[in-house]
Amino acid sequence: VQLQASGGGLMQAGGSLRLSCAASGRTFSSVGVGWFRQAPGKEREFVAAISWNGGSTFYADSVKGRFTISRDNAKNRAYLQMNSLKPEDTAVYYCAARWLNGYRSPKYDYWGQGTQVTVSS
């Protein structure tokens, strides 16, 4: 599975962005997808994840209620809708995919390149 994240940009606090993760390969519908982010000088952290069929979703406490993860297996895409953005959401965002459960773990099998999200105050 090859992944490519897009949709990042510069946004004012309180605004919204939708990130997209495009996948290649016919196995996308069999893998869970996660979003992680890494701010300058900080470790990469879990943001959200969705199971292979979309039946289960998981969120970090810091984004719960503001971010929504979804997927469209017919289009080989996953999304991260980010609302009520805060300056502390500024980071490079990565999408990743894994075969097994344990979506909060950073041990994913496939990673895409990151997309920069910058939120100004």
Side-chain angles (χ1 to χ4, degrees):
V1 178
Q2 291 185 319
L3 305 170
Q4 183 170 356
S6 62
L10 175 63
M11 179 59 62
Q12 287 189 331
S16 298
L17 281 173
R18 189 175 81 153
L19 304 184
S20 179
C21 179
S24 63
R26 291 177 289 180
T27 57
F28 177 75
S29 60
S30 301
V31 295
V33 174
W35 286 94
F36 290 77
R37 67 187 182 186
Q38 187 167 20
K42 295 187 177 181
E43 294 187 353
R44 189 174 299 185
E45 65 173 356
F46 169 79
V47 175
I50 187 167
S51 61
W52 64 275
N53 63 352
S56 298
T57 56
F58 310 87
Y59 296 94
D61 288 343
S62 59
V63 307
K64 198 173 295 183
R66 300 188 298 122
F67 291 10
T68 303
I69 189 171
S70 62
R71 66 187 297 160
D72 185 339
N73 285 344
K75 296 182 178 179
N76 272 16
R77 284 185 180 267
Y79 305 96
L80 184 68
Q81 178 67 44
M82 305 186 297
N83 298 330
S84 301
L85 284 164
K86 303 177 181 179
E88 51 263 43
D89 294 320
T90 295
V92 177
Y93 284 71
Y94 300 88
C95 64
R98 62 179 288 155
W99 292 101
L100 300 178
N101 293 338
Y103 299 117
R104 295 180 183 271
S105 165
K107 294 182 180 180
Y108 275 61
D109 301 295
Y110 310 97
W111 289 86
Q113 92 294 353
T115 185
Q116 176 71 47
V117 172
T118 303
V119 183
S120 61
S121 57

